Amino acid sequence: MTRNNTLLTAIAYSISSLLVAADQAPPKGFEKIDQEIKITTLRAQMKYDVHSFSVKPGSKVKLTFVNPDDLPHNLIICTPGKSKGKDKGKELVDAVLALGEKGVELNWEPKEHPRLLQSVGMAQPQETKVLYFTAPKSEGNYPYVCTFPGHFQLMNGMMVVSKLANPITNLTYEYYEGDWNKLPDFCPLEPKEKGFLPKGLFDISPRKRGDKFGFVFKGNIDCPEDGDYVFDLGSDDGSRLLVDGKVIIDHDNIHAHSNKSGKAKLTEGKHDIEVLYFEQGGQESLYVGWSGPGFKNQPLSLGSPGSSNNSSKTGIPLVPPAGEASIYRNFIADAGPRAIGVGYSEGVNFAFDANNMRVAMVWQGDFMDGARHWQGRGQGYQPPSGEDVAKFPDGIAFTVLETPESPWPQAEYRTSELKFKGYKLDKKQHPTFLYERGDLKFEDTAKPYTGKLERTIHIKAPGNGPDNLYFRAASGALPKNGESYSLSEYVTLQVNGAEPSKVPNELRFPVTFKNGEASLHITYQWVQ
């Protein structure tokens, strides 16, 4: 991506903002705000007290930055960038270091950097600054950092823009493994893993296995006003919810998914919230929600309430087990009614169209959300949950042509030219798709890597095999860079084992047989 394109992308977020003094009235247009965030530096620790918070797309936000420390600090919000926020904003910090002596003059702020989204400026010791801004319209992870030299490693956090934005900040998890029939005392146990949940949603997807595990979640929940709040807790198996150290709901022991509620009288402001959870065996689920003065039934988790009378679909993320693949057979958008989604723990995914024997799309990141099809009647098509999706043309991927330039057959709802014969799984649950075209037998296998998917199609034929079989890998005007073709700004494609035919706006390859066998090797690579 060029600097100009990156700058245009940043501008496209369409963010308005105003920085005002702490005692100044809200600027025009911000008399009513949707969310207020207060972030304070911790004295002599070089840390923010808020590590993560979430806002809804396009919402109006008031951010108060308080610096009681003896050192100056700033807070700059970055766009996600190519790393989708995984660099925690380090690209901006590197740009500050590159300023050299000019850094002091510019208060360590690279004002022209395309990833700089919002800034409160440099807050001197004991100074408070207030920033009003409109949140981006694009969902994603937006890091925030202190760019004062040497502060970045400790002073960083994440603003998540999400339609499921909620009032929980600083949500952490500790993941445990053990064989329990009720909630254990987690305190003396050593967690297998710790981490942050920047979206602020209770989520058991970081688990490493399907049974015999537990979680301890801790965070802060912001109550908008004094009053009575009702919390909902649903789980399979046991769970417990505490606010300010007091048990509000105890839903312990082994049981199928069911829900309990509890009430708490809370004052305006932040309160500690903690959820304990364990899974013994069978199905696993966790749902947390709340209601209070002026609002009803707001989910605080990625799970579902689990009630057939509740139409809310807050998400059932399908997460492949470590080192394995997950299969999702259902109606997938742009892949058809006989789609088979395959998600790998390496974070790459694809959808196979069993009506036309083609890979319909590839993407990286999150796999699928099962809520639509696993709750109620489950009608409609579900899109992928991840990002950087590359889609491929409708219709069959293999056909016999009279000449290399012959028109490709028109797409059908379900082809009669090829027949789907199912798939077989290896020890890692990785599928090999099996299909036929007359006497030709196809074995279609993908191998996952981080940021890359390698696909091998092996074809067996009686005798020497046909000399006019073609494979269509993609369509459209595809820029070429070396041996790779750009499917999009983020995904490239490379085919080994054949030379492409010279057909405008279509990437098709002749299949060459030797002793009745042929192989094609296709690599889908995500640009980092």
Side-chain angles (χ1 to χ4, degrees):
M1 184 186 292
T2 64
R3 178 180 175 85
N4 287 338
N5 285 340
T6 307
L7 183 57
L8 288 173
T9 301
I11 293 172
Y13 285 109
S14 300
I15 308 231
S16 60
S17 64
L18 284 166
L19 188 65
V20 302
D23 56 354
Q24 188 173 328
K28 185 177 180 180
F30 288 90
E31 294 83 2
K32 183 179 180 180
I33 60 172
D34 300 305
Q35 191 166 348
E36 183 172 354
I37 301 294
K38 181 180 179 182
I39 300 179
T40 302
T41 63
L42 300 178
R43 292 193 62 186
Q45 297 184 48
M46 281 203 301
K47 290 182 180 180
Y48 299 127
D49 70 332
V50 175
H51 302 290
S52 62
F53 65 93
S54 59
V55 295
K56 290 187 177 181
S59 60
K60 293 185 177 182
V61 182
K62 175 185 178 182
L63 192 158
T64 302
F65 182 57
V66 183
N67 181 26
D69 198 14
D70 296 326
L71 294 173
H73 298 290
N74 65 9
L75 188 150
I76 295 177
I77 302 175
C78 313
T79 65
K82 288 185 177 181
S83 70
K84 306 299 182 185
K86 292 179 181 178
D87 72 336
K88 299 181 180 180
K90 187 176 183 298
E91 185 180 359
L92 209 67
V93 175
D94 291 340
V96 166
L97 296 178
L99 292 173
E101 295 180 357
K102 291 185 178 179
V104 178
E105 301 174 17
L106 297 174
N107 274 327
W108 307 109
E109 184 174 310
K111 299 182 185 298
E112 302 301 320
H113 197 282
R115 285 192 62 190
L116 194 156
L117 191 63
Q118 298 290 346
S119 174
V120 301
M122 191 64 69
Q124 298 302 320
Q126 318 307 318
E127 187 178 10
T128 295
K129 294 201 170 188
V130 179
L131 176 70
Y132 290 87
F133 67 93
T134 303
K137 294 180 180 179
S138 299
E139 293 186 283
N141 295 330
Y142 294 74
Y144 55 88
V145 296
C146 177
T147 58
F148 194 93
H151 292 192
F152 161 71
Q153 291 297 332
L154 294 175
M155 299 193 75
N156 61 77
M158 191 71 70
M159 179 181 79
V160 176
V161 178
S162 170
K163 293 176 183 177
L164 295 176
N166 63 81
I168 294 182
T169 58
N170 291 337
L171 186 60
T172 65
Y173 72 87
E174 293 179 348
Y175 168 74
Y176 299 83
E177 293 180 352
D179 189 354
W180 309 297
N181 293 322
K182 63 179 182 178
L183 283 166
D185 179 3
F186 286 106
C187 293
L189 303 181
E190 185 68 26
K192 293 285 185 180
E193 184 176 279
K194 297 180 180 181
F196 277 97
L197 295 170
K199 291 183 179 180
L201 295 168
F202 295 99
D203 179 12
I204 62 173
S205 64
R207 63 190 183 276
K208 304 302 180 185
R209 59 189 190 186
D211 296 321
K212 296 179 173 59
F213 66 87
F215 280 94
V216 175
F217 302 96
K218 294 181 180 179
N220 306 116
I221 188 164
D222 195 1
C223 296
E225 59 182 271
D226 296 353
D228 291 327
Y229 292 81
V230 176
F231 290 86
D232 299 309
L233 183 63
S235 63
D236 176 353
D237 289 300
S239 57
R240 185 177 296 138
L241 185 148
L242 303 88
V243 175
D244 293 333
K246 180 182 177 181
V247 176
I248 305 301
I249 305 171
D250 194 349
H251 197 19
D252 200 0
N253 301 313
I254 295 175
H255 51 75
H257 187 98
S258 56
N259 302 301
K260 278 191 173 184
S261 298
K263 184 183 291 187
K265 185 177 289 292
L266 301 173
T267 57
E268 178 184 351
K270 291 187 182 296
H271 296 266
D272 295 333
I273 185 169
E274 182 175 357
V275 172
L276 313 179
Y277 170 83
F278 88 96
E279 161 65 12
Q280 168 57 238
Q283 298 297 314
E284 63 277 347
S285 60
L286 176 67
Y287 171 79
V288 185
W290 78 330
S291 58
F295 68 95
K296 295 182 179 180
N297 303 326
Q298 181 181 1
L300 300 173
S301 69
L302 281 175
S304 158
S307 169
S308 60
N309 296 322
N310 193 316
S311 61
S312 173
K313 292 178 175 58
T314 59
I316 302 176
L318 308 183
V319 182
E324 296 186 1
S326 288
I327 307 294
Y328 182 72
R329 299 191 64 168
N330 224 309
F331 290 67
I332 299 178
D334 299 310
R338 293 182 73 208
I340 304 171
V342 184
Y344 298 94
S345 61
E346 288 80 3
V348 291
N349 321 275
F350 73 93
F352 185 85
D353 174 8
N355 268 350
N356 290 285
M357 272 39 76
R358 68 182 180 111
V359 166
M361 70 182 84
V362 297
W363 69 97
Q364 69 172 343
D366 295 339
F367 178 37
M368 295 293 299
D369 180 354
R372 177 189 296 272
H373 296 132
W374 290 2
Q375 291 178 225
R377 299 185 177 220
Q379 297 177 347
Y381 288 82
Q382 179 65 29
S385 295
E387 56 206 10
D388 300 338
V389 180
K391 299 178 182 178
F392 301 97
D394 293 336
I396 54 178
F398 286 94
T399 194
V400 169
L401 300 174
E402 291 185 8
T403 70
E405 296 79 20
S406 295
W408 200 265
Q410 288 189 343
E412 300 177 283
Y413 173 77
R414 184 172 182 177
T415 182
S416 58
E417 191 171 329
L418 295 103
K419 293 184 178 180
F420 182 58
K421 306 299 289 185
Y423 56 85
K424 57 184 179 181
L425 300 174
D426 64 13
K427 292 181 179 179
K428 294 183 177 181
Q429 306 302 303
H430 293 184
T432 294
F433 291 96
L434 310 173
Y435 44 100
E436 296 177 352
R437 186 186 189 279
D439 293 333
L440 299 179
K441 298 184 183 301
F442 297 75
E443 291 195 356
D444 195 337
T445 306
K447 188 174 183 179
Y449 301 88
T450 301
K452 182 172 70 172
L453 192 65
E454 292 186 352
R455 181 181 171 207
T456 299
I457 307 172
H458 188 70
I459 312 168
K460 289 185 178 181
N464 294 325
D467 57 5
N468 56 353
L469 181 70
Y470 289 83
F471 167 65
R472 184 173 64 173
S475 63
L478 305 173
K480 189 175 183 182
N481 183 9
E483 298 299 318
S484 298
Y485 295 85
S486 296
L487 298 174
S488 70
E489 185 179 357
Y490 297 107
V491 190
T492 64
L493 176 146
Q494 182 175 334
V495 178
N496 296 325
E499 290 296 323
S501 301
K502 295 182 179 180
V503 180
N505 294 322
E506 201 164 76
L507 190 60
R508 63 171 70 164
F509 296 84
V511 180
T512 304
F513 285 85
K514 184 177 181 180
N515 298 325
E517 296 190 10
S519 291
L520 292 171
H521 303 280
I522 305 106
T523 300
Y524 308 97
Q525 179 86 47
W526 281 267
V527 179
Q528 301 300 316

